[in-house]
Amino acid sequence: MASQPYTLKWGIMATGGIAQAFTKDLLTNPATRDVHDVAHKLVAVASSSSKESATSFLEKVKAPSGVNTYGSYAELVKDPDVEIVYVATPHSHHFQNTMLALEAGKHVLCEKAFTVNAAQAKKLVETARAKNLFLMEAVWTRFFPLSIKIRELVKSGVIGPVYRVIADNSFGCDRPNGKLEFPDEHRMVNPDLAGGALLDLGIYSLTWLFQIMYHLQPEAEKEAPRTIAAINKYTTGADETTSLILQFPKHKTMGIAMTTLRVATNLDSQNSAGPSIKIQGPLGEIQAFGPAYSPKQYKVIMRDAGGKVEVVDCPIPKDPERDWGHGMFWEADECARCLRDGKKESDTLPWSESIVIMEVMDEALKQGDVKYPELITTDVYDPKSPLNTGGK
Ligand SMILES: NC(=O)C1=CN([C@@H]2O[C@H](COP(=O)(O)OP(=O)(O)OC[C@H]3O[C@@H](n4cnc5c(N)ncnc54)[C@H](OP(=O)(O)O)[C@@H]3O)[C@@H](O)[C@H]2O)C=CC1
Ligand SMILES: O=C1OC[C@@H](O)[C@H](O)[C@H]1O
């Protein structure tokens, strides 16, 4: 008889768009993605606005009965049934909210961008390490079978040593009056919520550069990149267009990561008109198609063999009973496997790598003179911060 899957018990912090998408993924049957060793249980959800928002969230995600609801994040982290907290608040809140959960002894999966700056990321890691808790940045894309296959292909040497990676994750939100389609208060452009293209979308372009050019470097030869950035700021002060060149001089590799809120990576909705990611070696090129946060196809193009092209589709599996499947369940499975195996960090997205990525973003924002307010940049934990208590 097959052994029972290891089941991880989740508490959801916040009730917005991605909290819903992630929770719906948690509620899918893992067998529909051919996963049998781990499973997930939704045990609690909290809204900083009201207990009613938490209740209405459960209706929206079609949750089973018996899930606890709370009108504050402080109550959620005290729930003894919760093993891991998924932090799904705006970037501005990640540091304080994750600290709140870690200080209460909970493991944490925190949405991207991990924090507003590297100092905060380091403090989270120090705290998780000191308290022997699991912590991971929720960069779901790294855990896609497509990403795993592409990393394996690169490691196999099929395209030779990678010399360059180019990635773009951009949205066309331009309005003829010069503004963007978001109101100035929206989390995408509001500096008080650490808005801006880089922290929200550029993190995915960087993910592609990092998971190929940094993650695959042998441990003994790890080299953080030199960062050259150009930023155009929006009227709110947040970045609207950011381009980065990352140089790894010892490895002779270079990456270009782009993001903007003005024009889309591709004009077709599926981004199939052109690749959003190009991974280039002397023997060939791997291209990924679809938004850089969720590509669904890749091509391997060989230089010899007359530019022979292999096309591989990697659709996101759907649970037919729930009519849902978004692709965030793979990162949840990673959390469950790490905890089952007694690991406090993921090998696929180690703490040190999230910190180096935050350092790159710090440097880019410094070069572009983007500044965020003290309330959201401090690395001093305050359980009573309005970011924890819900002062909106
Ligand atoms: N992995 C992915 O594909 C995606 C990730 N994200 C990330 O998820 C996070 C949340 O994004 P998203 O769900 O789109 O955002 P939403 O604005 O839809 O939701 C954010 C939630 O955070 C809570 N919150 C607490 N304080 C505030 C505040 N001052 N202003 C706004 N919301 C507040 C609210 O929940 P409540 O009132 O219940 O406390 C709110 O519903 C971000 O870090 C973003 O980068 C976003 C989209 C996709
Ligand atoms: O993480 C994200 O990926 C999808 C986008 O729609 C969203 O703005 C961003 O936060």
Side-chain angles (χ1 to χ4, degrees):
M1 205 178 86
S3 60
Q4 287 297 307
Y6 173 91
T7 301
L8 185 57
K9 292 188 276 177
W10 290 84
I12 308 297
M13 188 181 278
T15 56
I18 208 61
Q20 291 174 39
F22 178 82
T23 306
K24 283 159 79 176
D25 263 14
L26 278 188
L27 294 170
T28 58
N29 178 355
T32 59
R33 56 183 178 278
D34 204 19
V35 164
H36 305 276
D37 60 328
V38 290
H40 306 282
K41 186 170 183 209
L42 174 66
V43 297
V45 57
S47 168
S48 60
S49 317
S50 66
K51 190 171 156 71
E52 290 69 40
S53 300
T55 308
S56 114
F57 173 90
L58 291 182
E59 283 160 28
K60 287 182 200 150
V61 302
K62 301 194 180 77
S65 57
V67 179
N68 295 329
T69 50
Y70 298 111
S72 75
Y73 298 161
E75 288 170 282
L76 177 80
V77 302
K78 280 194 210 128
D79 183 328
D81 278 348
V82 171
E83 289 176 306
I84 185 165
V85 172
Y86 170 61
V87 174
T89 51
H91 313 147
S92 45
H93 291 49
H94 292 176
F95 170 70
Q96 295 291 349
N97 297 166
T98 300
M99 284 297 292
L100 186 75
L102 293 172
E103 287 291 338
K106 303 300 184 192
H107 306 294
V108 177
L109 172 67
C110 175
E111 257 312 328
K112 39 59 63 179
F114 204 20
T115 47
V116 181
N117 55 43
Q120 292 182 336
K122 286 178 189 163
K123 187 63 80 67
L124 293 185
V125 165
E126 271 168 33
T127 309
R129 185 177 285 121
K131 292 185 168 289
N132 200 26
L133 291 166
F134 175 82
L135 172 67
M136 191 174 93
E137 181 183 5
V139 186
W140 57 318
T141 320
R142 283 218 184 200
F143 305 92
F144 277 35
L146 172 141
S147 292
I148 296 168
K149 282 186 194 157
I150 291 178
R151 290 196 300 266
E152 280 168 4
L153 276 170
V154 169
K155 268 196 278 184
S156 77
V158 67
I159 60 168
V162 169
Y163 285 113
R164 197 168 64 164
V165 177
I166 303 167
D168 181 38
N169 188 32
S170 296
F171 285 3
C173 306
D174 184 60
R175 285 286 167 266
N177 64 0
K179 294 290 282 183
L180 294 167
E181 67 185 29
F182 309 103
D184 287 355
E185 305 71 38
H186 192 277
R187 72 164 190 85
M188 292 293 284
V189 291
N190 182 352
D192 293 341
L193 298 177
L198 179 61
L199 289 179
D200 194 74
L201 299 178
I203 177 74
Y204 292 107
S205 309
L206 285 173
T207 289
W208 280 97
L209 268 54
F210 266 83
Q211 68 171 331
I212 303 301
M213 294 191 304
Y214 182 83
H215 190 74
L216 299 183
Q217 288 170 1
E219 242 3 89
E221 292 167 27
K222 281 281 182 225
E223 178 188 24
R226 171 172 170 246
T227 303
I228 299 164
I231 285 183
N232 287 341
K233 286 203 266 186
Y234 189 47
T235 50
T236 59
D239 63 307
E240 63 170 42
T241 301
T242 295
S243 302
L244 298 96
I245 298 174
L246 301 196
Q247 184 191 19
F248 300 85
K250 270 200 300 185
H251 290 83
K252 293 204 182 312
T253 59
M254 206 175 277
I256 302 173
M258 291 173 287
T259 184
T260 178
L261 297 169
R262 286 287 174 193
V263 289
T265 301
N266 274 306
L267 287 177
D268 64 318
S269 60
Q270 288 309 304
N271 275 2
S272 54
S276 41
I277 298 126
K278 281 158 77 89
I279 301 165
Q280 300 177 308
L283 307 180
E285 173 167 316
I286 300 170
Q287 299 181 339
F289 293 76
Y293 53 83
S294 175
K296 306 204 179 49
Q297 183 190 72
Y298 69 87
K299 292 182 184 171
V300 184
I301 305 156
M302 296 311 293
R303 178 174 163 185
D304 288 340
K308 185 174 117 306
V309 183
E310 185 197 1
V311 182
V312 181
D313 287 308
C314 303
I316 310 284
K318 246 191 191 174
D319 179 336
E321 284 194 9
R322 297 190 66 90
D323 191 26
W324 183 260
H326 192 58
M328 306 184 85
F329 30 57
W330 288 306
E331 65 180 349
D333 294 344
E334 172 74 0
C335 297
R337 289 190 182 115
C338 285
L339 284 163
R340 177 196 63 190
D341 300 342
K343 291 165 68 173
K344 303 303 175 230
E345 63 180 310
S346 160
D347 294 336
T348 304
L349 182 46
W351 293 340
S352 56
E353 204 162 323
S354 284
I355 289 173
V356 176
I357 294 172
M358 284 310 313
E359 285 172 343
V360 164
M361 295 205 282
D362 276 2
E363 177 60 27
L365 294 171
K366 188 171 127 203
Q367 289 180 24
D369 195 33
V370 173
K371 294 196 176 82
Y372 293 117
E374 165 72 15
L375 176 72
I376 68 165
T377 51
T378 179
D379 63 355
V380 177
Y381 168 54
D382 175 7
K384 297 268 179 310
S385 161
L387 304 171
N388 279 327
T389 58
K392 287 186 192 163

